[in-house]
Amino acid sequence: MSFHPDTSVLQRGPQETPPTVVGRPTRIVIIGAGFGGLAVARELGNTVLEVTVIDRRNHNLFQPLLYQVATAALSPADIAEPIRRTLGRYKNIRVMLAEVTGVDQTARHVLLEDGAPVAYDHLIIATGSEYNYFGHDEWRAVAPGLKTIHEARLIRQRLLLSFERAELSQDATEKKALLTSVIIGGGPTGVELAGAIAELGRYMITRDFRKLAPEDFRVILIEAGPKILAAFPDELTDYAWHELAKLGVDIRTGVRVENITRGSVQTSGGTIPAGNILWGAGVKASPAHKWLGLEAKMGGRIPVGPDLQVEGTQGIYALGDTALRIDDEGKPLPALAQVAKQQGEYLGKALREQLLDGRPSEPFHFHNRGNTAVIGRHAAIFDFGNRRLKGRLAWLLWAIVHVFLLVNFEKRLLVTVQWLWRYVTRQRGARLIDENAATGLPATTHRSET
């Protein structure tokens, strides 16, 4: 299929901004409806600009709480909302459910897997990231990551099924393997999963299962580097290690994963039979750089300038996990939700002021509002750079921040009520197993750990 240039769009130099076209609204296309994409869309809402938001899913997802769906603390609907509902009040925004396959920069079209190309004057790429299996994509089926509702529900099914099967098992070795969860990767996601699974498992064994013993239940956290939570100061890392150990988590640093099969993890320290294997060992940007014919940079991210425009392109911007932006200290901005949201708000305001008022924008500057991770009940850490928090106060602040970041008041209220109920009763309300999910649990091996 070939495309012809849109003659209404003038030719420009590589760093110039496409002009507003006389006779029709300026067309802005946003690919991705995560933190960054939604922030841009909201800033451009209810203006004379023609905005199109394209996403391959029909919902936006609050990924920082996805681990709580995986561990039966919340339901998917608590942290997700249809994009059409989120943006429905903006009359100038169109939402499309579609898979993007490329970008024709000459014709200024976004190419879709199904459907006609979508024309743009300004293009914003906010497609996020995915887990990096470092050349072993075959591991994905047996060691799912945690980026989507489907993956969270799959992990939850496997966790709950492993307890049910262990209750029925007459073989002590098999029972122990079924009750072993291995989390690969000692970053915030791995730490949060390890703590949540440890709390869930010990609660269920104590309260709900009659033939399972607490000593057979194990959560093993594997990290190839010398310490967990490598981005945090040693003081907070040591605290997190201590709190995880109190929950019974077996932390193994300096251990490399060599192979993953159905029911076992082979590491540099031996083979671990496991009923549940979860991946959190690193992420890479979506393959959006391929759409633009660019060479992949650090983690597949797209280099952008001070105004978030993709280097060497005309009117194409990238933000969030997709973008590689170097800060004033010469370091890349981290792949965090707060970065994506701030970039989205900045870019939306900048385009609005530029296109509607003719005002130039200042360069983007990131304001760090703290990096955080939660370990368990009453245990969390916060790093503000020049100030650090840990323990109960950090845990309370973590909860307040995450509730505030949810997409609307309804979600904030739902999550708050469920957290309060869970805090008082210690009950997990989303412990449902699909009756067709029994085949989703990987078989365990009966080899002893070496």
Side-chain angles (χ1 to χ4, degrees):
M1 183 180 295
S2 62
F3 302 98
H4 302 285
D6 185 345
T7 57
S8 63
V9 179
L10 304 179
Q11 295 297 317
R12 292 157 246 72
Q15 296 302 322
E16 295 178 1
T17 302
T20 300
V21 181
V22 177
R24 64 164 173 78
T26 300
R27 303 166 300 191
I28 299 176
V29 175
I30 303 168
I31 307 175
F35 283 103
L38 283 182
V40 177
R42 283 170 168 153
E43 292 294 335
L44 299 174
N46 290 337
T47 65
V48 297
L49 302 171
E50 182 182 295
V51 180
T52 301
V53 177
I54 305 173
D55 201 294
R56 61 183 177 181
R57 302 184 183 94
N58 80 325
H59 57 273
N60 60 72
L61 177 65
F62 190 70
Q63 286 190 1
L65 291 182
L66 199 55
Y67 82 96
Q68 295 211 3
V69 176
T71 55
L74 295 173
S75 295
D78 296 333
I79 62 169
E81 181 175 82
I83 300 168
R84 294 185 186 278
R85 179 179 177 186
T86 303
L87 300 177
R89 65 181 181 273
Y90 303 112
K91 301 304 180 184
N92 65 317
I93 298 181
R94 178 192 180 196
V95 176
M96 296 180 64
L97 179 66
E99 181 82 33
V100 174
T101 59
V103 175
D104 187 330
Q105 296 183 65
T106 303
R108 305 190 74 80
H109 283 137
V110 175
L111 312 181
L112 306 179
E113 187 174 67
D114 296 303
V118 181
Y120 69 86
D121 297 313
H122 299 263
L123 176 63
I124 300 162
I125 301 175
T127 46
S129 59
E130 59 188 25
Y131 273 104
N132 188 357
Y133 285 81
F134 305 103
H136 292 279
D137 286 343
E138 71 276 8
W139 294 351
R140 190 183 303 270
V142 289
L146 196 55
K147 284 288 185 181
T148 67
I149 286 177
H150 171 74
E151 289 170 329
R153 294 180 67 179
L154 176 63
I155 291 170
R156 185 182 67 185
Q157 297 276 26
R158 291 182 176 182
L159 278 171
L160 299 179
L161 273 171
S162 64
F163 279 86
E164 298 294 344
R165 290 190 169 181
E167 176 83 351
L168 297 176
S169 177
Q170 302 299 313
D171 184 288
T173 302
E174 180 185 51
K175 189 186 294 272
K176 186 174 182 179
L178 285 166
L179 294 178
T180 298
S181 293
V182 175
I183 298 103
I184 302 165
T189 297
V191 166
E192 290 172 348
L193 270 172
I197 292 172
E199 289 184 334
L200 172 67
R202 298 201 179 281
Y203 170 83
M204 290 199 305
I205 287 177
T206 303
R207 292 284 298 272
D208 296 342
F209 291 90
R210 303 293 178 260
K211 295 187 177 181
L212 301 183
E215 56 268 22
D216 289 334
F217 173 70
R218 294 191 303 168
V219 178
I220 301 173
L221 180 61
I222 295 175
E223 167 57 43
K227 70 172 190 174
I228 60 173
L229 298 173
F232 288 81
D234 289 343
E235 172 193 350
L236 299 183
T237 297
D238 293 343
Y239 171 81
W241 185 303
H242 176 71
E243 292 299 316
L244 285 174
K246 282 169 57 177
L247 291 172
V249 177
D250 180 359
I251 305 171
R252 305 183 185 184
T253 55
V255 174
R256 300 184 314 276
V257 173
E258 298 175 347
N259 195 22
I260 303 175
T261 59
R262 293 177 65 85
S264 70
V265 180
Q266 287 129 46
T267 75
S268 56
T271 298
I272 309 171
N276 298 285
I277 306 168
L278 313 179
W279 185 268
V283 296
K284 60 181 178 179
S286 70
H289 65 277
K290 297 178 181 178
W291 303 342
L292 305 178
L294 300 176
E295 182 181 351
K297 297 296 182 181
M298 187 183 303
R301 301 167 79 177
I302 301 173
V304 298
D307 61 351
L308 304 184
Q309 185 167 209
V310 176
E311 295 177 358
T313 67
Q314 302 173 6
I316 300 178
Y317 304 83
L319 49 83
D321 295 4
T322 313
L324 177 60
R325 175 67 191 139
I326 305 300
D327 64 16
D328 296 336
E329 299 178 356
K331 299 178 181 179
L333 291 179
L336 298 174
Q338 60 172 314
V339 175
K341 188 173 182 179
Q342 288 184 38
Q343 289 180 333
E345 291 171 347
Y346 159 84
L347 185 56
K349 291 176 182 176
L351 287 175
R352 189 182 67 220
E353 292 173 355
Q354 172 192 326
L355 297 173
L356 301 182
D357 303 327
R359 289 187 289 169
S361 59
E362 297 293 327
F364 171 76
H365 291 287
F366 171 59
H367 302 285
N368 187 2
R369 295 187 169 89
N371 195 11
T372 183
V374 64
I375 296 101
R377 187 181 177 93
H378 299 159
I381 56 175
F382 248 104
D383 178 24
F384 297 100
N386 57 354
R387 188 179 178 190
R388 299 160 189 172
L389 282 179
K390 59 186 178 182
R392 189 183 296 263
L393 182 58
W395 175 76
L396 182 60
L397 181 60
W398 172 89
I400 293 171
V401 168
H402 281 69
V403 167
F404 176 77
L405 288 174
L406 286 167
V407 71
N408 59 32
F409 176 77
E410 177 190 355
K411 302 300 180 187
R412 294 168 193 159
L413 182 61
L414 281 172
V415 170
T416 300
V417 169
Q418 294 208 57
W419 277 354
L420 288 173
W421 178 252
R422 177 183 158 199
Y423 181 81
V424 172
T425 67
R426 295 182 180 265
Q427 290 279 1
R428 303 273 178 140
R431 288 167 48 193
L432 302 179
I433 301 175
D434 189 322
E435 61 269 23
N436 296 319
T439 57
L441 184 69
T444 59
T445 61
H446 290 192
R447 290 172 290 176
S448 298
E449 184 177 356
T450 58

